[in-house]
Amino acid sequence: MKLRHLAVVAVLAICLLALAACAPLGPLGASARPVPTPTATSAPTAPPTPTATPSPTPQPAPTATATPTPAPSQPGIPPAPVASGKAILVSLERQWLYAYENGQIAFDHAVETGRPELPTPTGTFSILSKTTDTWFISPWPKDSPYYYEPSHVNYALLFKSGGFYLHDAPWHVWFGPGSNVPHQLDDGTWETGSHGCVGMPTADGKRLFEWSRIGTAVVIR
């Protein structure tokens, strides 16, 4: 009886062992296979932002060297010889007359002055007298190379005793630069400068005569 009971117990034990071997192990079993924990995939590293290459500093364009402009050989209107009142300036170099009033130019025009052998005097003078509709008579005799026939003058301003005038010269053709030295006219004839006076066209002589007054300064240089 005991042997049969032991045999039954043994068979039951074997069956239990077989069932235990075939049954899946629970999470607490020693042989339980660990469930792999998924590894977190790291976020992709963003590519580095490229550093901008600094633009080269623009170099200033080379400055062109200005070509110096030569100064004019004959500047414009010269300064007034006096600051106030009326004044007349005659340039022998330019053969030009300038009229000023209170330091400002009033008008200007071409003239002809004395020929090289009978030059117009230089210096500071003043209008001594005013004469219209007169005749100039040559102080030189007829056999002199400087003799001239009696000449009618419409407007004459005496600026120096001895017969030195600012006057119109209707017999003269060319006024301005070169008119005081021998020069040939378009018709082939020759003329030269005055006998020491300052001559000008009749229209300019009239304007100067009416504008000036006794005592007006006259500077010749």
Side-chain angles (χ1 to χ4, degrees):
M1 191 68 180
K2 287 184 179 181
L3 289 175
R4 183 179 292 179
H5 181 72
L6 290 172
V8 172
V9 172
V11 172
L12 290 174
I14 291 169
C15 289
L16 289 172
L17 288 174
L19 290 172
C22 293
L25 296 177
L28 299 178
S31 299
R33 295 179 182 178
V35 178
T37 302
T39 304
T41 304
S42 58
T45 305
T49 303
T51 303
T53 304
S55 301
T57 303
Q59 298 298 317
T63 303
T65 303
T67 303
T69 302
S73 57
Q74 291 190 1
I77 304 296
V82 296
S84 61
K86 295 185 176 183
I88 298 168
L89 171 64
V90 176
S91 170
L92 299 181
E93 179 184 4
R94 301 183 188 183
Q95 293 292 287
W96 213 266
L97 180 147
Y98 305 90
Y100 303 88
E101 190 161 3
N102 295 324
Q104 301 298 316
I105 189 70
F107 56 86
D108 63 287
H109 58 256
V111 296
E112 52 105 10
T113 62
R115 63 191 69 182
E117 62 272 23
L118 295 172
T120 299
T122 58
T124 300
F125 311 97
S126 63
I127 300 298
L128 303 176
S129 67
K130 301 174 64 175
T131 307
T132 60
D133 191 19
T134 188
W135 289 84
F136 282 2
I137 308 299
S138 174
W140 295 275
K142 287 189 176 182
D143 59 352
S144 170
Y146 306 130
Y147 173 80
Y148 58 88
E149 294 292 336
S151 304
H152 180 262
V153 174
N154 297 286
Y155 307 98
L157 301 167
L158 180 68
F159 67 88
K160 185 178 187 297
S161 60
F164 295 96
Y165 289 84
L166 298 159
H167 65 84
D168 67 312
W171 58 87
H172 205 82
V173 175
W174 177 253
F175 300 89
S179 62
N180 62 319
V181 295
H183 51 276
Q184 190 174 26
L185 302 176
D186 292 341
D187 62 2
T189 60
W190 288 79
E191 68 179 6
T192 187
S194 73
H195 291 76
C197 292
V198 178
M200 62 200 72
T202 299
D204 292 328
K206 180 177 186 294
R207 177 175 57 180
L208 183 67
F209 185 90
E210 294 174 346
W211 174 83
S212 64
R213 59 189 177 214
I214 303 298
T216 297
V218 177
V219 178
I220 301 176
R221 61 190 183 199

